[in-house]
Amino acid sequence: RSQHGIVAACACRLENVMYSLVLFVIQVSVQIGVKRDVLVVRAPPAPPYPSKSARRLSSTSVSTAAQLRAKLNEGLATNASTLDLSIPRGSQLQLSNQLLINRPVDVLISSSGTGATITSTGDSRVFEVSGGGSLTLSRVHVTNGTVDGSVTTGGCILVSGPGSKVIGSHINITKCTTAWTGGGPFFTTQGGGISVSSGAELVLDGVTIAYCHAGGAGGGVAAILGGKATISESYIWNCSVGPAAGNEAGAGIYIMGGSEVRWNGGAIQMCKAISGYGAAMYIVDATMHMSDAVISDGWAAGGFAAAMVGSRYLGDASATALGSFTNVIFHRNYAAGFIVGAILTYGVGSTLICTACHFSDHFAAGDCGTLDVMFAKAYITDTTIVRSEAGGVGGGVRFRGNSYVEMRNVTLTDCKCMGKAGGGITVEGVATLVFCYDVSIARCHVDGGKNGGGIQLTSGSLHIIGGSTFECTAPEDGGAISAEGGMLNVSDHMFKQCHAKQYGGGFNLDDKDLVATFTGCSFVDCVSGIISGTMYVAAGEVMVINCLFRGSRAETTLSGCLGIKTDASAVRVLLSRFVDIFATTQGGCLVLWGGTLTLEDCEITDVRLEAGSGGVAAVMSGKLVLLRSLVKDSSATGVGAAFQVTRGTVALYSVQIRNCTTDHPQNGLIHIGNLGTFEAVNLAISACNGLVTFKSDRPDVPIDVRGLLLLSTYCPLPPVEQVATARLLACTDDSSSSPVCGIEAACEDARVSSSMPANFTTPRCLCTGLNYPQPTAFSADLAPYLRDDTSGCATPRKAERVDVVGVMAASVVVELYKGNGPAPVENVTIAMQMGGTGVASAEWSSLVTYTPESVPAWLRLQHNAGVVHSS
């Protein structure tokens, strides 16, 4: 019997038994992985027997340590170019001091089967190779090498100098040590198992390095000062560094000073930085390329539990290092006392590349559960990060210190932080620039901290293109994103079911210098516990373009969707829809405490206020402006079925209000408080359910309405004394910024109601020539196509945009008229975009007439009859 079981007794059956055992382990691993989602790590299988054709028949057999040393010294003394030695299988050779190869000679020491072992008595390393020498170990295991002192390297094997080389094939290197005894820098005690340095080369294939230790750096392997290593299907297991000066680095492998390591297959597992950093690896001014491998179960008392890519010290940002990982699994690495559960990339010349990698179950007692990039670059592609946790900020990843980062097709799931903010991603640093392409964040949250369940932005620039954020939560503000500075640019992103216990179920935007833009985004079912179901803007400049807000909720108080807090806030919303919004006490959809909110070409529909005032919007201070927009289907129980203006201003330009209700008809469709002001131009009201259109608490102050159109027969106006002096716009009024009616249209002053004084009129525009629809035509009644001199559209206007909302139209006519001016001197393209139900199946036909009859040379009609494709 031996440590390998019954190999010696049953050699003829070993191959079949071994493959059966391996197959059994694989099957069990798959079952456990599926049921419990646990990464199962197993030791590498024993190497197979070499084929007869691969055996070296001309080697010299040695069976004792003395014979090995004598044959090696003899070959060196006779200047032999090659030396081929073999050790019988199962032999144990014990050395009292190292074997030295210090000149150009190729030495092969081999064994067969389970191999032989060369062990040190514990007073020296086993092999030192220098001077251009080469050592190949095949099935010859090395163990128990030890060197100590203030400057030590290579506990079992040291290879150094240009032209020197060590090759290990199917061997184990175990229980080797470089012990730091003080008197020098900790990082000079390197390479507990193997050290390759100063231009030398190391090649490992099918090698296991286990239970090795370095006092300073590289418990398993150290590649330093230009050393090169190529490692395949090899394992570093249960290696450690420290305790030395408290800054030990790279319990698995330490790479520094221009060295390069290329690693394919195998794993680095269960390594420990006793009082330092980088349980798996530490890369300083060097390069690591790793693929198809596993890094797992590392433990670092300091931080960077899987790897450090960059500088030896955090105070030195000038490092140049590259860590490139492809199809690598990082699992369950633990930073016990500092930051970063997996990889820290640090230094202006340092770069991290992760492609098709998987990070799972990482933890940092400080900030940043998995990845941290500082003063560096990172390119992360097709990668997943799951179950990542930080005791501080940045539960998943953190980008800071003027870094540049690209993330493409990355998923962060179930990440959390216990600190202030940033359950999934944290971005900080004035010049930090982060691009996220198709990044998905799911179920990330801040637990015990404050803001930004999905993302925290404090400074720098964050650009999000595509992807989604789903079920992210914060105990205070900004369930999806908390932006407290910098620049935020989000496009074509879905935010769904995000929640904040206080303000901004989706977003908390709070810095006077913040600039945020959202384009083509969807905000669905976002909820706040108190204020602003989707977006809470305490300060900053915000632009929202072509977005959808649906199912937003403020559970206990006000501002069902969007709240503006201070005069340091300016928000502009274009071409967007607010649908199915709910609040409890005030401002069903919108609330302003200051600042400005402008909505252009927007629709607000299906808003419910449970028990309060301002069915659609409540303005306590600041200014709310709506341009060319539709407000419909809202309900409230208090004053202002649509708008409540306590103080500040509400201004409506070319707006229609439809079907807004309150429990008390006298509370008014629009309620204007003692300190509030209201103005409207071209306001259309329909389906007002018997509500008084305007209710003002100050009857002595005129209601500024210029161009009022009542589209329902039962929309009562306030008492005459409240509105008789209202400055309703007349056809001849020059105070308007643009003509009331378009050119070629007649204007007449018509009475608003027979119950009102004769001078209470509003302009009516009649088509006498060309047909100009009003900018926002909300129904077929407003813009029929009747092309003659006696009839026409009800309110023709000059316009660049025409909206027909909520109307079934059998046909749409687009008429273009150039006029009598000179021909254009350059090409002019008119592009038409149409959206709505049924557009995709519509068909165009064209009718083109010219006066004069000949077509001008400058006109080219590029219209194709057929299907209209919806945009």
Side-chain angles (χ1 to χ4, degrees), residues 173-177 191-194 207-215 217-222 235-242 249-254 263 267-274 277-281 296-300 305:
I173 300 171
T174 58
K175 299 179 182 178
C176 306
T177 302
I194 305 176
V207 174
T208 296
I209 302 171
Y211 299 106
C212 293
H213 176 82
V221 176
Y235 296 79
I236 298 178
W237 188 65
N238 251 316
C239 293
S240 59
V241 290
I253 183 169
Y254 180 67
W263 186 312
I268 303 175
Q269 298 167 332
M270 300 182 70
C271 293
K272 185 175 183 179
I274 297 172
Y277 306 90
M281 67 182 69
S296 72
D297 296 285
W299 188 94

Side-chain angles (χ1 to χ4, degrees), residues 300-303 334-341 363-369 389-393 418:
Y334 190 97
F338 194 39
I339 60 174
V340 194
F363 174 83
D367 297 336
C368 188
E389 181 177 346
V393 302
M418 305 296 292

Side-chain angles (χ1 to χ4, degrees), residues 300-620:
F304 340 138
M308 164 69 157
V309 180
S311 175
R312 182 180 293 119
Y313 301 109
L314 287 184
D316 177 15
S318 63
T320 300
L322 170 63
S324 177
F325 303 92
T326 301
N327 196 29
V328 176
I329 295 173
F330 296 83
H331 177 67
R332 206 164 48 206
N333 296 290
Y334 190 97
F338 194 39
I339 60 174
V340 194
I343 303 175
L344 170 65
T345 306
Y346 181 85
V348 293
S350 297
T351 301
L352 171 67
I353 301 173
C354 289
T355 304
C357 292
H358 178 77
F359 296 83
S360 60
D361 298 288
H362 288 89
F363 174 83
D367 297 336
C368 188
T370 295
L371 300 178
D372 195 356
V373 180
M374 185 175 184
F375 301 111
K377 296 178 181 179
Y379 303 89
I380 306 165
T381 306
D382 299 327
T383 292
T384 58
I385 299 172
V386 299
R387 296 184 300 276
S388 177
E389 181 177 346
V393 302
V397 299
R398 177 172 65 173
F399 308 125
R400 55 181 174 141
N402 308 336
S403 296
Y404 177 86
V405 178
E406 290 184 11
M407 299 176 71
R408 296 177 184 271
N409 193 28
V410 175
T411 300
L412 293 93
T413 306
D414 296 316
C415 300
K416 70 175 180 178
C417 72
M418 305 296 292
K420 179 182 177 182
I425 299 174
T426 293
V427 178
E428 55 191 49
V430 175
T432 297
L433 181 58
V434 178
F435 292 91
C436 297
Y437 301 94
D438 297 314
V439 171
S440 296
I441 306 171
R443 297 188 301 277
C444 294
H445 64 281
V446 178
D447 189 356
K450 290 186 176 181
N451 306 332
I455 297 173
Q456 177 202 27
L457 170 65
T458 59
S459 57
S461 298
L462 173 60
H463 302 265
I464 302 173
I465 302 96
S468 63
T469 299
F470 179 68
E471 286 187 355
C472 293
T473 61
E476 292 190 8
D477 308 332
I481 297 178
S482 179
E484 299 160 26
M487 176 182 291
L488 175 64
N489 190 349
V490 186
S491 61
D492 302 313
H493 193 88
M494 165 76 81
F495 297 90
K496 188 173 182 180
Q497 296 178 2
C498 295
H499 181 273
K501 290 185 178 179
Q502 292 188 13
Y503 304 154
F507 305 89
N508 171 54
L509 307 177
D510 187 7
D511 185 81
K512 64 180 181 62
D513 296 321
L514 170 69
V515 177
T517 303
F518 301 88
T519 304
C521 296
S522 296
F523 312 97
V524 180
D525 298 332
C526 294
V527 178
S528 68
I530 301 178
I531 295 174
S532 300
T534 294
M535 188 176 294
Y536 178 73
V537 185
E541 181 179 333
V542 181
M543 175 78 78
V544 179
I545 304 171
N546 195 26
C547 293
L548 170 67
F549 298 81
R550 183 188 294 277
S552 182
R553 302 285 189 271
E555 289 182 321
T556 61
T557 57
L558 65 166
S559 181
C561 188
L562 175 59
I564 314 298
K565 178 63 176 177
T566 68
D567 289 338
S569 307
V571 180
R572 189 180 180 195
V573 183
L574 309 177
L575 301 168
S576 298
R577 298 184 67 217
F578 299 79
V579 183
D580 185 22
I581 312 297
F582 171 84
T584 305
T585 61
Q586 195 171 23
C589 184
L590 313 170
V591 172
L592 276 74
W593 293 270
T596 61
L597 171 60
T598 303
L599 281 73
E600 302 181 35
D601 302 294
C602 293
E603 179 182 344
I604 304 174
T605 182
D606 193 14
V607 180
R608 185 166 65 92
L609 182 62
E610 186 174 72
S613 303
V616 172
V619 178
M620 271 73 88

Side-chain angles (χ1 to χ4, degrees), residues 21-27 29-30 39-45 235 237 267 269 296:
L21 289 174
V22 172
L23 178 60
F24 171 75
V25 172
I26 292 174
Q27 291 172 342
S29 300
V30 171
L39 177 67
V40 178
V41 177
R42 65 181 188 276
Y235 296 79
W237 188 65
Q269 298 167 332
S296 72

Side-chain angles (χ1 to χ4, degrees), residues 17 54 85 89 225 330 361 374-375 440 478 480 497 505 549 596 606 650 667 695 727 760 802 812 833:
V17 172
L85 306 173
R89 183 178 61 205
L225 302 176
F330 296 83
D361 298 288
M374 185 175 184
F375 301 111
S440 296
Q497 296 178 2
F549 298 81
T596 61
D606 193 14
V650 169
N667 286 341
K695 181 175 177 61
R727 294 183 292 113
F760 198 83
V802 178
V812 176
Q833 175 178 333

Side-chain angles (χ1 to χ4, degrees), residues 3 79 104 329 483 493 597 611 643 691:
Q3 62 179 341
N79 292 324
I329 295 173
H493 193 88
L597 171 60
F643 299 95
L691 289 176

